[in-house]
């Protein structure tokens, strides 16, 4: 049985500052959680054959199919924590691959009679945890994308960002920046 907290971990470095912030948040929440380590998933190539196979599963409403496992887990969570460092002007590619797998019509969202997405997820909150070496980390390059999906497709209106930026700028007080970010948690 799935736990109520879902931790989507897009961090790959053992000394990840994003992961450090995410663990502080998870400790503050203080409940057991299921972790999805994206680096451990061999995502299928989303090509024509995959889309046809997934479309057939959705048409048959065969949502118990393993192809829908990640989507069901995401839809059932009550709180979602996403840890995604800011790399090369966005989040890690594995997070985009994850979203491609959980965007399942009939599991995480549906369309109403006017063709407008209606969220099917149980979560009340999504926390997006990120860090950046520089100061240039605009919302639309990471957090904004996740927030738009959560609010407009998954039906999760409370989307919060926890961030620490400027960590690799010459002369930056990394400990002070991280401590300030940790103090903002919940």
């Amino acid at each position: 049985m799935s736990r109520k907290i879902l931790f989507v971990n897009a961090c790959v470095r053992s000394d990840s500052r994003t992961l450090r912030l995410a663990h502080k948040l998870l400790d503050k929440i203080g409940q057991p959680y299921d972790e999805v380590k994206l680096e451990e998933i061999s995502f299928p190539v989303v090509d024509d054959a995959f889309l046809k196979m997934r479309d057939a599963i959705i048409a048959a409403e065969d949502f118990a199919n393993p192809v829908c496992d990640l989507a069901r887990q995401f839809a059932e969570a009550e709180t979602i924590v996403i840890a995604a460092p800011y790399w090369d002007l966005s989040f890690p590619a594995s997070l985009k691959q994850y979203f491609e797998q959980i965007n399942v019509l009939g599991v995480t969202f549906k369309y109403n009679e006017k063709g407008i997405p209606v969220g099917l997820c149980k979560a009340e909150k999504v926390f997006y945890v990120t860090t950046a070496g520089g100061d240039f980390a605009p919302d639309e390059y990471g957090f904004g994308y996740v927030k738009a999906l959560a609010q407009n497709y998954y039906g999760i209106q409370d989307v919060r960002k926890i961030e620490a930026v400027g960590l690799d700028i010459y002369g930056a007080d990394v400990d002070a920046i991280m401590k300030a970010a940790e103090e903002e948690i919940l």
Side-chain angles (χ1 to χ4, degrees), residues 8-13 16-19 38 82-95 128-133 137 141-143 162 164 167:
V8 180
N9 181 354
C11 303
V12 297
R13 292 186 173 136
S16 170
R17 297 172 294 202
T18 302
L19 187 58
L38 300 184
I82 299 172
Y86 184 75
W87 290 350
D88 301 321
L89 302 178
S90 190
F91 46 71
S94 61
L95 185 56
Y128 184 80
V129 182
T130 192
T131 59
Y141 291 2
F143 173 68
I162 298 167
L167 296 167

Side-chain angles (χ1 to χ4, degrees), residues 64-135:
N65 189 297
V67 169
C68 300
D69 286 352
L70 291 172
R72 282 193 325 275
Q73 180 185 40
F74 189 90
E76 291 296 317
E78 293 177 4
T79 299
I80 299 165
V81 174
I82 299 172
Y86 184 75
W87 290 350
D88 301 321
L89 302 178
S90 190
F91 46 71
S94 61
L95 185 56
K96 175 64 169 83
Q97 291 174 298
Y98 176 77
F99 286 125
E100 289 175 350
Q101 298 304 308
I102 68 167
N103 290 334
V104 177
L105 183 65
V107 177
T108 53
F109 73 99
K110 66 179 181 178
Y111 290 109
N112 69 15
E113 63 282 348
K114 294 181 181 178
I116 298 170
V118 176
L120 299 175
C121 296
K122 292 180 180 178
E124 294 180 8
K125 289 182 192 156
V126 170
F127 293 95
Y128 184 80
V129 182
T130 192
T131 59
D135 277 334

Side-chain angles (χ1 to χ4, degrees), residues 17 20 132-133 135 164-181:
R17 297 172 294 202
R20 176 178 153 188
D135 277 334
V165 299
L167 296 167
D168 295 334
I169 294 174
Y170 181 76
D173 186 343
V174 175
D175 291 334
I177 294 168
M178 289 297 291
K179 184 172 175 52

Side-chain angles (χ1 to χ4, degrees), residues 48-64:
D48 187 51
F50 174 83
L51 292 174
K52 285 179 180 173
M53 180 263 307
R54 189 172 75 174
D55 287 348
I57 289 167
I58 292 169
E61 297 183 3
D62 181 16
F63 302 126

